[in-house]
Amino acid sequence: MKLSAFFAALTALAGEATAKAVFAHFMVGNVYQSYTVDKWKSDIQLAQASGIDGFVLNIAPPLNDDMRTQIAAAFIAANDLASEFKHFFSFDYLGGSGAWGSADIVSLMKEYGPNYAYQKASRGGTNLPFVSTFEGGNYASDWTTIKSQVDVYLVPDWTGSGADVVKANINAGASIDGFFSWDMWPEGANDMSTTPDKTWQGVLGDKDYMMGVSPWFFTDLAGYGKQRLWRGDDLWAQRWDQVMEVNPEWVEIVTWNDYGESHYIGPIWEAGIPQDTANNADARWYVEGMSHQHWRDLLPYYIARYKTGVSPTVTQEKISWWYRLSPKAAGTTDVTGNDCSYQTCLDPNAIVQDEVFFTALISDATNTNVVVQIGNNAAVSHPVTKVGPNHFSQPFNGQLGKVTFSIVRNGQTVLSGTGDAIVAEPANGERNYNAYVGGVPDTYAEL
């Protein structure tokens, strides 16, 4: 099955979230400055080309003119493109001036819920506007009042409030229609498992589950009290395999454009990078030049496989790679491993691995290897075992230089590309745990 034909066949269904769909979390607060309707259109087209069905518009109070301008631009762009790409709101209860007031939520939902480009979901045969949150479990009771004034299909993230809050809401026959878990990064020196996802599915019973998928997490914003990391490493490849195991109703990618936390998969927007120098919260040193767009390379394959349950035909071979550009012990840092507010504080170097991580999308596995060479060191061959994605990692302990990745079949190189050099020390002396992401074919404009 060609992916273009597959996505065309499902675009109408994607507008009603009873069909499987994949959304990307979009930080509206990061685009207040100079984001135009045309820029929204560009992002929508990039996302759609990757198989993404819509943006989850993260909005945090206050509901001011800047926010209203960008919300309006997002919906104008989606409607102008007439491409069935949808948006829905995620009301952020932690990222702004305080909790959302019910009146503001009702106002926004009455204004945008009926919009053609607003994502809908079906309850009892009635299509309702889809709504999520970032936390806000302490305000769960507000939604009974909100839904009495404007009915919505509520799939909140109340992960921080725990299962008891969610169970109580369900047992009371109250507000939620499903649940979104923010638990998508592993704790400590471990890989992510599906245990949290399956635990939440057990709590929900017959309610819907939206699964979070994220490639990375690193933030070094001292002035905002955010200096931590969780293991990324193989996470992006592993998590898409776990999507097939969990089989959720929907998937939410975190994120399209949260640069300060290093899990962006969209193009870098300079003005959206945290740069609050007065409060020691400037992320430009670890974001600029660190494009993540090649994390989207395999999304059309992953998303088609998730929606159909069948591995699609590989029509173009690809390699996507990611790694840190210096050893984990190089430079200085005040970053911790884990979030010390509720997890055991660890040395971040006990969590991450000095390796290059790479996935090759293969059309023919016969006599095929992925060959990786770091600098002038000996090349290492990784045997391909199947058609489709083949994921590997390779230590770079002590090895420096540019990294070349090649697909070699029957002794002949059929695809090759070279990534940025691994260097002994970071240029500014600060330890950058952000990932450099590259790939071939190389089709993305850089910052």
Side-chain angles (χ1 to χ4, degrees):
M1 177 187 294
K2 288 188 176 180
L3 297 183
S4 58
F6 170 81
F7 289 127
L10 284 186
T11 48
L13 286 176
E16 299 177 8
T18 45
K20 286 182 175 179
V22 176
F23 310 109
H25 200 85
F26 191 108
M27 306 296 292
V28 176
N30 284 355
V31 300
Y32 280 176
Q33 297 184 35
S34 306
Y35 230 61
T36 63
V37 170
D38 283 345
K39 187 67 176 72
W40 276 102
K41 287 181 180 178
S42 175
D43 278 6
I44 288 170
Q45 289 169 324
L46 287 173
Q48 269 204 313
S50 301
I52 294 169
D53 297 299
F55 284 147
V56 184
L57 301 180
N58 175 291
I59 50 177
L63 178 56
N64 55 26
D65 289 344
D66 286 336
M67 183 188 296
R68 289 186 181 278
T69 296
Q70 291 306 327
I71 291 172
F75 281 94
I76 290 169
N79 281 303
D80 282 356
L81 289 171
S83 61
E84 297 300 330
F85 193 87
K86 307 297 182 183
H87 303 305
F88 65 88
F89 294 134
S90 173
F91 292 98
D92 189 334
Y93 282 74
L94 297 183
S97 59
W100 274 95
S102 297
D104 282 341
I105 293 176
V106 169
S107 173
L108 280 171
M109 293 314 304
K110 285 185 174 180
E111 182 175 1
Y112 285 100
N115 194 295
Y116 182 78
Y118 197 99
Q119 180 73 41
K120 308 299 193 298
S122 178
R123 187 200 312 131
T126 301
N127 284 335
L128 300 170
F130 197 101
V131 170
S132 190
T133 71
F134 177 63
E135 293 301 338
N138 292 339
Y139 300 88
S141 60
D142 289 1
W143 287 95
T144 302
T145 302
I146 293 167
K147 293 178 78 169
S148 71
Q149 299 176 63
V150 54
D151 201 4
V152 299
Y153 199 93
L154 179 61
V155 183
D157 156 42
W158 293 337
T159 311
S161 295
D164 288 345
V165 169
V166 177
K167 286 179 181 177
N169 187 284
I170 294 171
N171 292 339
S175 57
I176 74 167
D177 296 283
F179 185 78
F180 170 50
S181 171
W182 202 257
D183 193 350
M184 63 193 90
W185 300 278
E187 181 175 352
N190 300 294
D191 291 334
M192 188 64 190
S193 77
T194 59
T195 299
D197 303 291
K198 292 181 177 180
T199 299
W200 280 114
Q201 285 179 318
V203 169
L204 292 171
D206 61 356
K207 300 285 186 180
D208 295 326
Y209 181 61
M210 184 157 65
M211 179 177 174
V213 174
S214 187
W216 210 256
F217 194 105
F218 160 62
T219 181
D220 194 353
L221 300 172
Y224 297 164
K226 294 175 62 174
Q227 290 183 287
R228 63 182 183 271
L229 64 79
W230 286 303
R231 174 178 282 187
D233 294 3
D234 301 287
L235 181 62
W236 188 237
Q238 291 172 340
R239 200 68 174 141
W240 282 106
D241 285 343
Q242 291 172 359
V243 165
M244 299 304 294
E245 179 183 346
V246 174
N247 194 29
E249 281 74 18
W250 310 291
V251 172
E252 182 172 333
I253 297 170
V254 175
T255 60
W256 184 261
N257 67 334
D258 192 336
Y259 309 112
E261 294 185 353
S262 305
H263 42 56
Y264 51 95
I265 66 166
I268 295 172
W269 176 249
E270 173 74 21
I273 303 171
Q275 42 197 283
D276 186 354
T277 54
N279 291 305
N280 193 22
D282 191 338
R284 287 175 293 184
W285 70 271
Y286 64 86
V287 173
E288 288 179 342
M290 303 292 273
S291 173
H292 288 179
Q293 296 208 71
H294 281 285
W295 264 330
R296 301 201 309 273
D297 285 354
L298 271 65
L299 280 183
Y301 182 96
Y302 289 142
I303 292 172
R305 184 180 66 176
Y306 155 63
K307 288 183 175 181
T308 66
V310 177
S311 297
T313 301
V314 177
T315 58
Q316 181 183 34
E317 293 190 313
K318 301 178 181 181
I319 314 172
S320 175
W321 59 76
W322 57 96
Y323 49 91
R324 287 172 290 102
L325 293 179
S326 57
K328 60 187 180 183
T332 60
T333 189
D334 293 320
V335 168
T336 64
N338 289 340
D339 184 339
C340 298
S341 67
Y342 69 97
Q343 295 173 325
T344 301
C345 267
L346 295 176
D347 180 341
N349 291 348
I351 290 179
V352 301
Q353 302 170 93
D354 277 347
E355 299 184 5
V356 294
F357 307 93
F358 49 103
T359 305
L361 186 63
I362 300 295
S363 62
D364 179 1
T366 307
N367 297 323
T368 301
N369 292 275
V370 180
V371 179
V372 177
Q373 183 176 21
I374 302 173
N376 295 321
N377 298 282
V380 178
S381 292
H382 302 266
V384 165
T385 60
K386 60 183 179 180
V387 170
N390 288 252
H391 180 72
F392 309 95
S393 63
Q394 178 176 317
F396 63 79
N397 299 332
Q399 298 184 348
L400 306 175
K402 292 189 174 183
V403 187
T404 299
F405 301 83
S406 305
I407 297 175
V408 178
R409 182 172 294 117
N410 297 319
Q412 301 296 313
T413 299
V414 297
L415 183 66
S416 186
T418 300
D420 285 4
I422 299 169
V423 298
E425 295 288 337
N428 64 355
E430 294 186 81
R431 191 178 302 165
N432 189 351
Y433 288 103
N434 193 7
Y436 155 74
V437 185
V440 284
D442 188 4
T443 58
Y444 300 114
E446 303 297 334
L447 175 67

